[in-house]
Structure formats: structure tokens, C-alpha cells
């Protein structure tokens, strides 16, 4: 164990295989982002120096995971890789049925196809986009009931991801028979990556029991959540993270999972539950779209990588480094006067672009403006989480989102502290000339999920791309 008296948190690994970064100039990047219609999703990743677009599937695998890949057994049915995967999932999450999928959203699609539908409603602390989309696709309603305190992005409490217990209780009372499942997302990605406490999970469980509704976890970042519980919740400090995870699982009836996050793998996921009848329905849907129940949407080698990843992700030295490095980035930005969602989450730091760029109104997309500036200035790719992502309403009108944030998501075990020091320096530089950054307008957008493919032009810029101009 690391001695806590040293301030420097080192990466608890050394580098075994390296991937070169391609250095670019500011002029190269200005050209690249212009060609991409000022949409960072449209860049070629080779033109990105530090890629903080997502922490999903972008982590570095360990020596033992790569070794596991060599043990991958590609038998169609009953492969030893499947049994290794099953054992390591059930060691942490002892649900009776485990259904492997190619990633988290496939698990969501199968579950909601089985339980949701018109007239139904699914409460969650905060739905992630794909979770919401999969609920709504069935005709059901996706309802966010995150606890209060979320309104002010600069002051979230220790467990800012918690469910609002009273609102959940009232919601279930008002909709008897129409709620097939209650979800809790750990950590709460769409709400600053904030954790959920064990006490809150216990309270959610009690409310679900009172109303006879099952509770599922969206467990993508379960290990990071458990580490926060160990650090911040009273009486948890001497516990093994593994045990905390098992307690989280014991409070639920099932889970969806993306192994691209806390599975430490590049692809994969699963759906798990105790209910036999529901499992049979889900397995039939799995065979239709993913594959046979002992591999789902995955190759045997992927099952091996995930099985090994689950052993590594609950190790304390790893989690201490992981959560400290996110905190390190967040605290340095605060020292430079860059406003962020406080405290920093587990997997990401969210910059409050609306308060950094008060001269850019929400409908001129301050988050997009900041994300483009971070790319042009330093080759850093981030993700707007604001009015571009959420502003288009179902009736076609446009409203400012609740907040305009820019997410710096940190891939697992991929970048070193000096990469983060560089990110801090670039953010500091951009914030000193925040007042000069232009707003943007959308020149082309699809009817749904526009943030992935919309094209933008800077306001007052002379280089608006030749594209269909929407009148607004
Ligand atoms: N649930 C949460 C909380 C997520 O963050 C994600 C993915 C999913 C479900 C879906 O999992 O990608 O394996 O299908 N989040 C990524 C992100 C994409 O960038 O936050 P998936």
C-alpha cells in the first residue's frame, strides 16, 4: 500500500507498450476543426492530442488482460471463457442470471423491450442518454428524480448523485402498476459523475419494497462509486471495496452494465437479474439480436478481458490513483479560477462553460465554444454537455439546457500526470482569453441526437461552411 504521507500520487503501473501521440500545430487543428464543421465528434482521432471525449472503451488494458485474450476460447456454446466471465461477474454481483451483451445499451434495449412500453414510466436518479432513449423508444416515460442540491453546479454535496427519496415515493404512489422497474445510476454520469451513497440505496430499496417494484442498478462506474462510499460515507473507511460492491448489489434485483467503463475493457456489457421469468424473456431477445446466451454480443477473448478487468478495478491502489487523478485535475482548474462542477466526479471533470463565458448566451452554445477552443489551442477533445446536446425540444423549438457544461472524461490508465498537467495549462490559457471566444450557430442538424453530427459556424467568423442554412 502507498504511504499516505507522500503527496504525489503515482500511477500504480509502469508502461509496457506505448502508442505514439501525433503532434499537431494550432494551424493544423484550426483547419481540422473547420473541416469537421466545428463538431469534435467529426474529427479524425489522429488529429487529437489528448482525447477526453469519453472514458468509455478508451482505457488501457493490463498485461494480464492481454494474456487473458490469448486464453479466449471461441466455442459457440459453453466456452471456458464464458464460465470465467460468469464467475467474476457473480463474485461481485451475485445475481442468479447474467446475460452478456456487446455493450451497456444492448442490455438496456433488451431489458426495456421486456418490461417497458406505452403507459409505463421508469424513474432513475438521472438517466444516461442511451438509457433514456431506450426507455422512450418503447413508448414509456423516463423520469429523473435526482436529489435537490443539483441546481447549483458549483456546490454539490458528498453524494450529489443520490435519488430524491420523497419524490420517488410520491411518484410510485401516483403511478401504481405503471412502474416496471426503478433505476439508480452509479455514479450519476449525467449529473456531474457524482456518487450515490449506500444509505440512499438502502432508502431506495425500502421505497421499492413498499410499492412492490424491483430496483436495478445502472452500474457502469460501480467501483468508482464504491470508492467514494469508502472515502466519504460514515463507517465505511475500513471496508474492502469488493464488499461495498457486494452490498450495493445485494440491495438491487438486477443491473445493466457497460464493461467499457469499470470493466476496464474496450467493449462489452451485461444484464443481470434474479427473476427467472424475466431472465427467460431477456435471453430470448438476446438470441434474436446479440447471440447465444454464453457469449451474447462478445467474442470469448472479450469475456476473458472483462473477467480480468473486474478483478483489477476493485483494487484499492488503482481506485485511489483513479479518483485522485480526477480530483487533481479538478482542483488545479479551481485554483486557476476555471469554474467546475464541485466536487469533481469519479470519471470526469465538468467545466461550467456558461459561467466561464457569460458573454455567450446559451443559444449561442458556450459549451461548444469552449470545447472548440480547447481543441484549437491544445488539441484536447472534450464533450459539450449542454444546450447543443439537450436544447432541441420534441416540438422542434429550442430551449437553453439546465447548464452548459464541458466534460473532460478521463480514460482509465491511459494518460499520465504530465498529460494532465498539460490539460490544466491549456484550460488555464483558454480561460484567460475567455472573453474573446466567439459563440456558434448551427448550420446543419439532424432531427435527433444532433450533437453527434450537427455542423456549426462561429458567430462573426468569415469561414462558415457552405451548408444548408436553417432560418432561426
Ligand atoms: N449508462 C451510463 C451511466 C453510461 O455512462 C453509458 C455510456 C451507458 C449506460 C451506455 O453504455 O456506451 O456501453 O452502450 N456512457 C458513455 C459516456 C458513452 O461517454 O458517458 P454503452
Amino acid at each position: 500500500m502507498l504511504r499516505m504521507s507522500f503527496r504525489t500520487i503515482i500511477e500504480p503501473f509502469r508502461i509496457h507498450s506505448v502508442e505514439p501521440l501525433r503532434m499537431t500545430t494550432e494551424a493544423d487543428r484550426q483547419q481540422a476543426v473547420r473541416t469537421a464543421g466545428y463538431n469534435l465528434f467529426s474529427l479524425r482521432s489522429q488529429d487529437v492530442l489528448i482525447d477526453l471525449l469519453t472514458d468509455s472503451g478508451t482505457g488501457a488494458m493490463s498485461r494480464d488482460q492481454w494474456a487473458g485474450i490469448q486464453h479466449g476460447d471461441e466455442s459457440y456454446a459453453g466456452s471456458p471463457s464464458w464460465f470465467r466471465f460468469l464467475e467474476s461477474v457473480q463474485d461481485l454481483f451475485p445475481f442468479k442470471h447474467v446475460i452478456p451483451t456487446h455493450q451497456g445499451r444492448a442490455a438496456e434495449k433488451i431489458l426495456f423491450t421486456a418490461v417497458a412500453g406505452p403507459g409505463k414510466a421508469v424513474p432513475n436518479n438521472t438517466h444516461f442518454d442511451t438509457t433514456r432513449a431506450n426507455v422512450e423508444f418503447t413508448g414509456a416515460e423516463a423520469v429523473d428524480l435526482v436529489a435537490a442540491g443539483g441546481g447549483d453546479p458549483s456546490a454539490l454535496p458528498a453524494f450529489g448523485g443520490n435519488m430524491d427519496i420523497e419524490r420517488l415515493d410520491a411518484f410510485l404512489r401516483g403511478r401504481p402498476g405503471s412502474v416496471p422497474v426503478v433505476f439508480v445510476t452509479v455514479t450519476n454520469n449525467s449529473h456531474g459523475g457524482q456518487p450515490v451513497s449506500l444509505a440512499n440505496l438502502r432508502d431506495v430499496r425500502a421505497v421499492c419494497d413498499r410499492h412492490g417494484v424491483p430496483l436495478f442498478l445502472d452500474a457502469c462506474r460501480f467501483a468508482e462509486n464504491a470508492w467514494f462510499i469508502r472515502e466519504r460515507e460514515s463507517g465505511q473507511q475500513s471496508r474492502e471495496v469488493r464488499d461495498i460492491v457486494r452490498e450495493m448489489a445485494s440491495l438491487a434485483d438486477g443491473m445493466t452494465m457497460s464493461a467499457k467503463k469499470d470493466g476496464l475493457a474496450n467493449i462489452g456489457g451485461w444484464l443481470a437479474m434474479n427473476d427467472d421469468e424475466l431472465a427467460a424473456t431477456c435471453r430470448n431477445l438476446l438470441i434474436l439480436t446479440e447471440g447465444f446466451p454464453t457469449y451474447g454480443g462478445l467474442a470469448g477473448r472479450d469475456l476473458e478481458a472483462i473477467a480480468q478487468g473486474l478483478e483489477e478495478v476493485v483494487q484499492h491502489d488503482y481506485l485511489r490513483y483513479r479518483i485522485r487523478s480526477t480530483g487533481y485535475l479538478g482542483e488545479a482548474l479551481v485554483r486557476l479560477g476555471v469554474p467546475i462542477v464541485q466536487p469533481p466526479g469519479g470519471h470526469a471533470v465538468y467545466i461550467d462553460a456558461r459561467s466561464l463565458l457569460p458573454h455567450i448566451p446559451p443559444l449561442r452554445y458556450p459549451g461548444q465554444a469552449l470545447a472548440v477552443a480547447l481543441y484549437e489551442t491544445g488539441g484536447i477533445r472534450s464533450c459539450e454537455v449542454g444546450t447543443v446536446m439537450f436544447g432541441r425540444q420534441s416540438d422542434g423549438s429550442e430551449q437553453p439546457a439546465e447548464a452548459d457544461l464541458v466534460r473532460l472524461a478521463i480514460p482509465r490508465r491511459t494518460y499520465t500526470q504530465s498529460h494532465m498537467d498539460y490539460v490544466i495549462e491549456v484550460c488555464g490559457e483558454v480561460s484567460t482569453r475567455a472573453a474573446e471566444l466567439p459563440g456558434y450557430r448551427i448550420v446543419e442538424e439532424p432531427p435527433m441526437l444532433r450533437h453527434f453530427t450537427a455542423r456549426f459556424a462561429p458567430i462573426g467568423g468569415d469561414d462558415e461552411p457552405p451548408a444548408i442554412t436553417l432560418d432561426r
Side-chain angles (χ1 to χ4, degrees):
M1 194 149 87
L2 295 176
R3 256 177 64 184
M4 297 308 290
S5 52
F6 293 117
R7 276 184 51 251
T8 308
I9 302 285
I10 62 166
E11 290 82 8
F13 48 80
R14 55 185 183 185
I15 292 163
H16 170 74
S17 168
V18 299
E19 270 183 279
L21 291 177
R22 199 171 75 84
M23 298 294 171
T24 50
T25 64
E26 191 157 348
D28 294 336
R29 296 190 290 266
Q30 282 166 344
Q31 182 58 42
V33 77
R34 184 180 163 183
T35 306
Y38 296 94
N39 187 329
L40 303 185
F41 282 101
S42 303
L43 288 170
R44 287 173 178 243
S45 65
Q46 280 205 322
D47 292 331
V48 175
L49 189 58
I50 307 284
D51 203 344
L52 307 183
L53 184 64
T54 178
D55 64 318
S56 179
T58 51
M61 288 207 296
S62 68
R63 171 192 65 187
D64 294 341
Q65 285 179 292
W66 285 108
I69 279 178
Q70 289 294 333
H71 287 281
D73 180 307
E74 305 304 340
S75 303
Y76 189 90
S79 146
S81 301
W82 154 250
F83 288 104
R84 184 169 177 223
F85 169 86
L86 180 63
E87 206 173 293
S88 63
V89 171
Q90 287 180 328
D91 180 50
L92 293 171
F93 302 97
F95 295 116
K96 193 167 165 200
H97 302 282
V98 178
I99 298 174
T101 60
H102 79 276
Q103 60 183 75
R105 67 198 70 183
E108 294 164 1
K109 168 79 177 152
I110 289 170
L111 178 67
F112 295 127
T113 302
V115 304
K120 302 269 173 65
V122 177
N124 200 321
N125 45 351
T126 315
H127 286 85
F128 178 68
D129 334 5
T130 61
T131 326
R132 169 175 290 279
N134 274 304
V135 169
E136 290 175 349
F137 188 72
T138 70
E141 203 185 329
V143 183
D144 291 342
L145 297 175
V146 70
D152 175 2
S154 66
L156 285 166
F159 289 100
N162 280 353
M163 178 81 92
D164 186 324
I165 300 299
E166 277 172 26
R167 279 163 72 212
L168 176 66
D169 194 33
F171 188 82
L172 292 178
R173 220 175 313 118
R175 302 286 290 261
S178 69
V179 177
V181 62
V182 168
F183 254 82
V184 175
T185 304
V186 294
T187 56
N188 191 336
N189 183 18
S190 302
H191 198 69
Q194 302 293 315
V196 174
S197 68
L198 269 181
N200 188 251
L201 277 176
R202 287 191 202 107
D203 289 347
V204 173
R205 171 82 249 174
V207 171
C208 287
D209 284 345
R210 247 193 335 271
H211 295 277
V213 177
L215 168 62
F216 271 53
L217 298 177
D218 175 341
C220 296
R221 299 177 180 85
F222 69 86
E224 293 171 6
N225 198 88
W227 183 258
F228 280 120
I229 287 172
R230 188 176 186 274
E231 281 198 321
R232 296 184 185 168
E233 194 159 350
S234 77
Q236 302 298 321
Q237 284 64 39
S238 57
R239 286 184 80 183
E240 276 292 317
V241 161
R242 255 175 217 290
D243 291 336
I244 297 175
V245 173
R246 286 186 195 119
E247 183 171 352
M248 288 161 60
S250 76
L251 293 165
D253 300 293
M255 68 188 291
T256 55
M257 175 69 190
S258 167
K260 300 171 75 171
K261 285 84 169 174
D262 276 352
L264 297 179
N266 301 121
I267 196 73
W270 68 84
L271 170 63
M273 65 202 64
N274 288 327
D275 185 311
D276 297 335
E277 210 178 307
L278 177 60
T281 308
C282 291
R283 282 209 179 92
N284 288 332
L285 290 168
L286 180 87
I287 293 172
L288 211 57
T289 58
E290 291 280 294
F292 189 73
T294 64
Y295 70 84
L298 296 166
R301 56 178 166 271
D302 300 324
L303 295 167
E304 293 277 351
I306 297 166
Q308 179 61 29
L310 291 176
E311 287 181 23
E312 295 173 12
V313 79
V314 291
Q315 289 173 9
H316 290 195
D317 285 346
Y318 161 72
L319 283 168
R320 181 177 296 109
Y321 138 81
R322 167 76 178 156
I323 301 301
R324 259 316 295 153
S325 43
T326 308
Y328 176 84
L329 172 60
E331 286 157 24
L333 294 182
V334 170
R335 275 198 300 278
L336 291 173
V338 178
I340 65 162
V341 175
Q342 292 266 39
H347 67 299
V349 171
Y350 295 70
I351 302 178
D352 183 353
R354 196 179 287 173
S355 60
L356 183 65
L357 306 172
H359 62 291
I360 303 180
L363 296 185
R364 290 292 174 249
Y365 315 127
Q368 192 67 22
L370 178 61
V372 170
L374 292 175
Y375 174 70
E376 288 182 335
T377 308
I380 297 164
R381 177 155 69 170
S382 57
C383 183
E384 193 262 11
V385 183
T387 304
V388 173
M389 199 179 264
F390 303 119
R392 172 66 66 218
Q393 308 299 301
S394 47
D395 65 1
S397 66
E398 196 173 25
Q399 298 284 336
E402 202 180 304
D404 280 293
L405 306 177
V406 168
R407 183 180 80 167
L408 305 174
I410 307 178
R412 294 171 181 76
R413 307 190 293 201
T414 302
Y415 294 113
T416 63
Q417 183 170 332
S418 60
H419 289 122
M420 288 303 126
D421 287 338
Y422 171 82
V423 170
I424 292 161
E425 198 179 337
V426 172
C427 291
E429 217 277 308
V430 169
S431 77
T432 59
R433 43 185 191 80
E436 296 161 24
L437 301 185
Y440 282 78
R441 64 189 189 87
I442 291 181
V443 293
E444 196 183 317
E445 65 180 300
M448 278 172 68
L449 295 171
R450 65 178 182 177
H451 54 286
F452 291 125
T453 54
R455 292 178 72 86
F456 301 82
I459 306 284
D462 56 7
D463 59 356
E464 301 188 1
I468 313 154
T469 302
L470 297 179
D471 193 20
R472 70 166 56 90

